[in-house]
């Protein structure tokens, strides 16, 4: 764990980070097992653990039973209530404002509708004011708050300070959101793209080991993805790695996409695209079952679930639209499998709660892939449960990486 050239504070931070990270992943270890796991001497572990116990970041649990003589081993665990972190998860038309403990347990969460066309500074002031209001409402002492994590759609700068392009949330490009929020709230701010934040939360909560790489796919309004290598999220040279939703799949005559191009995967395979195509095709001849549903509830109230249910019930027009979307997404994921060879593909989003759609996608993914490229594809065990955790957990992970030093 010691690296030549590191100063003492750097070594201390690295070792403390290793202790916090492995205790989070393992759930609890004795001092002896902790020393063995991170290859530190018993004396070094004793010193680090002593500091962390004094700071209340660790708690001592029950005595572990063992067959040998000598000193009994005591279980060490993280103290999840030592600190909490605030979160802002910002989508196109709403933001989730939340707070989480160190283990990801949610203290509070509240959605806030966002108006379009509001100047960036005014919108940021509104978010900061609501956050301050919720902190007071839930009586959270400021000294217990680590800081604020921000997850936002679009492209963020490499240093995590600016939003280069939010694709509609802010009119301004290169908006210094992190700096602005820090000034308004008085808290340290860390920021990332919203899909990467969700993926980071997925890995944090799942605590999976021995996966060299994962590919995380999110389908909500649009399509986003993120890639991990050796448990680290890979952002790419321009912070745009894994932009699978913006792969061009229609060469000519494709629909306009939010990114400014036409014919992207997102314009065919996203939930909003499927619904849009179904509404465009809606007629008693082309989509008879969906048409009947529209007469009962009204065209303007038709939802994605209605399209999928019509396809399930053999509405040929609706089924053709869903199949086109499935085949486009499946082809993109097969390219991911062959190019990246990930250990697992994780699916996240409301689309994957529909058993008909999920079965169609998994079936299509099995076609044309040889046995040597079989990759597990599964719906996230936290599907649709991470939006109120993800932003706050960005700050928690930053805290752990920094060795538990504020």
């Amino acid at each position: 764990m010691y690296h030549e050239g590191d100063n003492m504070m750097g070594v201390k931070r690295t070792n403390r980070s290793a202790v916090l990270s492995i205790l989070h992943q393992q759930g609890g270890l004795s001092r002896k097992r902790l020393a063995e796991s991170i290859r530190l001497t018993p004396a070094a572990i004793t010193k680090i653990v002593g500091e962390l116990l004094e700071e209340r970041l660790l708690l001592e649990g029950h005595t572990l039973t063992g067959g040998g003589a000598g000193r009994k081993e005591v279980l060490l665990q993280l103290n999840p209530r030592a600190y909490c972190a605030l979160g802002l998860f910002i989508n196109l038309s709403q933001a989730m404002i939340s707070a989480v403990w160190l283990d990801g347990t949610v203290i509070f969460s509240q959605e806030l509708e966002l108006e379009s066309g509001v100047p960036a500074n005014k919108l940021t002031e509104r978010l900061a004011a609501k956050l301050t209001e919720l902190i007071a409402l839930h009586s959270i002492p400021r000294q217990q708050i680590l800081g604020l994590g921000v997850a936002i759609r679009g492209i963020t700068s490499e240093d995590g300070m600016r939003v280069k392009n939010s694709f509609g949330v802010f009119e301004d490009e290169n908006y210094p959101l992190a700096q602005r929020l820090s000034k308004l709230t008085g808290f340290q701010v860390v920021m990332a793209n919203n899909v990467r934040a969700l993926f980071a939360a997925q890995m944090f909560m799942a605590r999976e080991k021995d996966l060299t790489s994962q590919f995380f796919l999110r389908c909500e309004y649009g399509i986003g993805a993120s890639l991990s290598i050796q448990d680290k999220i890979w952002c790419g040279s321009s912070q745009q790695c894994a932009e699978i939703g913006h792969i061009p799949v229609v060469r000519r005559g494709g629909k306009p996409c939010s990114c400014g191009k036409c014919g992207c995967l997102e314009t065919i395979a996203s939930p909003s695209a499927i619904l849009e195509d179904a509404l465009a095709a809606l007629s008693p001849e082309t989509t008879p079952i969906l048409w009947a549903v529209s007469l009962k509830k009204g065209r303007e109230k038709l939802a994605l679930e209605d399209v999928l249910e019509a396809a399930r019930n053999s509405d040929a027009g609706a089924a053709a639209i869903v199949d086109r979307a499935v085949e486009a997404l499946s082809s993109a994921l097969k390219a991911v499998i062959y190019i990246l060879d990930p250990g697992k593909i994780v699916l996240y989003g409301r689309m994957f709660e529909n058993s008909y759609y999920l079965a169609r996608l998994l079936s299509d993914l099995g076609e044309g892939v040889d046995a040597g490229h079989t990759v597990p594809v599964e719906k996230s065990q936290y599907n649709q449960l991470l939006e109120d955790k993800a932003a706050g957990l960005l700050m928690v992970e930053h805290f752990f990486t920094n060795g538990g030093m504020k």
Side-chain angles (χ1 to χ4, degrees):
M1 293 299 298
Y2 290 90
H3 305 286
E4 186 177 349
D6 281 352
N7 60 37
M8 292 303 296
M9 183 56 70
V11 171
K12 179 179 179 179
R13 183 180 290 110
T14 298
N15 291 337
R16 284 170 57 108
S17 176
V19 169
L20 295 173
S21 297
I22 199 163
L23 285 178
H24 164 70
Q25 189 177 70
Q26 299 288 342
L29 289 172
S30 68
R31 287 170 175 80
K32 179 181 178 182
R33 302 301 176 199
L34 197 54
E36 292 171 351
S37 297
I38 58 180
R39 299 178 183 178
L40 285 177
T41 66
I45 281 293
T46 297
K47 183 176 181 180
I48 293 168
V49 166
E51 291 176 354
L52 294 173
L53 284 168
E54 188 175 336
E55 295 165 23
R56 296 191 66 253
L57 276 170
L58 297 188
L59 297 173
E60 288 188 310
H62 60 273
T63 301
L64 300 172
T65 58
R71 187 174 179 178
K72 297 292 185 182
E73 295 185 30
V74 178
L75 188 71
L76 293 168
Q77 295 175 300
L78 287 175
N79 177 10
R81 301 296 187 267
Y83 292 105
C84 66
L86 307 172
L88 284 176
F89 192 91
I90 304 172
N91 286 315
L92 182 62
S93 58
Q94 76 276 335
M96 176 75 75
I97 305 174
S98 62
V100 297
W101 294 114
L102 296 182
D103 61 355
T105 301
V106 176
I107 303 169
F108 68 74
S109 67
Q110 184 172 320
E111 282 194 1
L112 182 69
E113 295 299 317
L114 303 181
E115 301 173 20
S116 60
V118 176
N121 281 343
K122 186 174 180 180
L123 177 56
T124 306
E125 288 168 5
R126 186 182 174 210
L127 290 169
K130 188 64 179 178
L131 184 63
T132 302
E133 176 189 319
L134 288 170
I135 293 169
L137 180 64
H138 292 272
S139 304
I140 303 175
R142 285 186 71 92
Q143 64 269 23
Q144 198 173 16
I145 299 172
L146 294 175
L148 172 62
V150 179
I152 185 166
R153 68 183 252 126
I155 305 168
T156 58
S157 61
E158 188 174 352
D159 61 6
M161 291 291 104
R162 293 172 291 111
V163 182
K164 295 170 73 173
N165 190 340
S166 63
F167 300 107
V169 179
F170 301 121
E171 292 181 357
D172 314 49
E173 292 189 357
N174 286 313
Y175 182 67
L177 179 61
Q179 181 182 10
R180 181 72 175 148
L181 282 169
S182 183
K183 185 175 181 180
L184 290 168
T185 65
F187 294 117
Q188 179 185 11
V189 177
V190 295
M191 183 170 65
N193 163 269
N194 59 350
V195 178
R196 290 192 191 121
L198 285 170
F199 185 27
Q202 162 79 26
M203 292 193 292
F204 183 93
M205 297 300 296
R207 306 182 189 187
E208 292 174 307
K209 301 180 287 293
D210 303 324
L211 274 176
T212 56
S213 150
Q214 295 184 67
F215 190 84
F216 180 87
L217 178 81
R218 184 200 189 206
C219 284
E220 284 298 339
Y221 177 83
I223 297 176
S226 186
L227 171 70
S228 72
I229 300 174
Q230 301 294 346
D231 293 326
K232 303 293 183 184
I233 292 179
W234 182 251
C235 297
S237 60
S238 61
Q239 301 294 301
Q240 297 182 79
C241 175
E243 288 280 357
I244 190 173
H246 300 291
I247 295 173
V249 294
V250 178
R251 188 172 180 183
R252 294 185 180 87
K255 290 190 295 183
C257 181
S258 62
C259 72
K261 305 196 304 294
C262 292
C264 294
L265 175 66
E266 192 170 283
T267 67
I268 294 175
S270 67
S272 54
I274 293 172
L275 179 58
E276 183 180 305
D277 288 347
L279 290 174
L282 188 64
S283 72
E285 297 79 23
T286 306
T287 57
I289 295 176
L290 190 61
W291 174 262
V293 174
S294 73
L295 293 178
K296 290 181 180 179
K297 65 187 299 187
R299 175 191 173 97
E300 69 283 355
K301 292 185 177 180
L302 284 178
L304 173 68
E305 291 70 23
D306 298 315
V307 180
L308 296 175
E309 190 60 26
R312 185 201 302 269
N313 290 317
S314 302
D315 184 316
I321 291 167
V322 173
D323 286 348
R324 180 174 181 242
V326 164
E327 289 165 7
L329 182 57
S330 175
S331 293
L333 287 175
K334 288 172 188 175
V336 167
I337 290 170
Y338 274 88
I339 294 171
L340 300 177
D341 190 27
K344 182 166 69 173
I345 292 176
V346 179
L347 306 175
Y348 189 93
R350 62 191 173 103
M351 296 263 288
F352 307 118
E353 290 298 322
N354 185 281
S355 58
Y356 168 79
Y357 177 86
L358 183 59
R360 284 286 299 110
L361 178 63
L362 294 178
S363 174
D364 202 275
L365 277 170
E367 297 178 10
V369 177
D370 60 72
H373 288 86
T374 301
V375 171
V377 181
E378 61 186 48
K379 181 180 73 174
S380 167
Q381 67 266 52
Y382 302 103
N383 196 32
Q384 298 187 287
L385 299 175
L386 296 176
E387 281 78 3
D388 56 359
K389 303 175 187 292
L393 286 177
L394 287 174
M395 177 54 71
V396 171
E397 289 212 281
H398 175 78
F399 179 66
F400 284 178
T401 301
N402 201 44
M405 300 177 183
K406 290 181 70 176

